Amino acid sequence: MAVYEDGEPVGFTYGVPGEPGREWWREYLDEELADTSTFSVSELMLRPKWRKQGLGEQLHAALLADRPEALAVLTVDTKRPRLQALYESWGYRKVGERQPFPDSPLYAVMLKELTPAA
């Protein structure tokens, strides 16, 4: 999903539904969830000119609107605590930390419960 203003790109976001039975984030939970269907948020980007106006949250909400999954998951570099706090303000909770490769950053694993579409 991309957003433009007068033909100029403002930002974009995308993600994919998770494959049932391959919820890699489960290892971070103590409790068992009844519905583990997951939408993985892969990227959210706004160009600097359009940041700090609430557009990121609107773009994110539009991406997740009417999703049939019970949860959304994303990762955030742990060296970006303000970004992690922003996602927490959008309803995510940190459930663990993950370093997928030895030379990759350490990421906060964040989950959000999605409200079923009425």
Side-chain angles (χ1 to χ4, degrees), residues 32-73:
E32 192 65 33
L33 301 176
D35 186 350
T36 58
S37 60
T38 309
F39 185 80
S40 297
V41 177
S42 300
E43 193 76 52
L44 172 65
M45 189 281 301
L46 283 174
R47 295 182 60 205
K49 176 179 171 181
W50 287 276
R51 293 180 188 160
K52 300 187 185 218
Q53 299 176 42
L55 297 174
E57 186 173 12
Q58 291 174 24
L59 194 56
H60 177 265
L63 178 68
L64 297 181
D66 301 321
R67 292 297 324 165
E69 295 85 8
L71 303 162
V73 66

Side-chain angles (χ1 to χ4, degrees), residues 23-33 35-41 60 64 69-76 84 87-96 108-114:
E23 298 87 9
W24 57 268
W25 49 262
R26 275 184 174 194
E27 67 188 78
Y28 301 101
L29 299 182
D30 293 330
E31 75 272 12
E32 192 65 33
L33 301 176
D35 186 350
T36 58
S37 60
T38 309
F39 185 80
S40 297
V41 177
H60 177 265
L64 297 181
E69 295 85 8
L71 303 162
V73 66
L74 56 78
T75 58
V76 178
Q84 181 179 319
Y87 285 124
E88 288 170 345
S89 77
W90 295 355
Y92 284 87
R93 65 183 169 108
K94 179 180 174 181
V95 296
V109 177
M110 303 189 76
L111 278 180
K112 173 184 174 76
E113 292 184 23
L114 300 179

Side-chain angles (χ1 to χ4, degrees), residues 76-79 94 97-101 104-108:
V76 178
D77 189 329
T78 57
K79 292 182 180 175
K94 179 180 174 181
E97 293 183 345
R98 167 177 213 200
Q99 186 173 18
F101 305 101
S104 73
L106 181 64
Y107 293 100

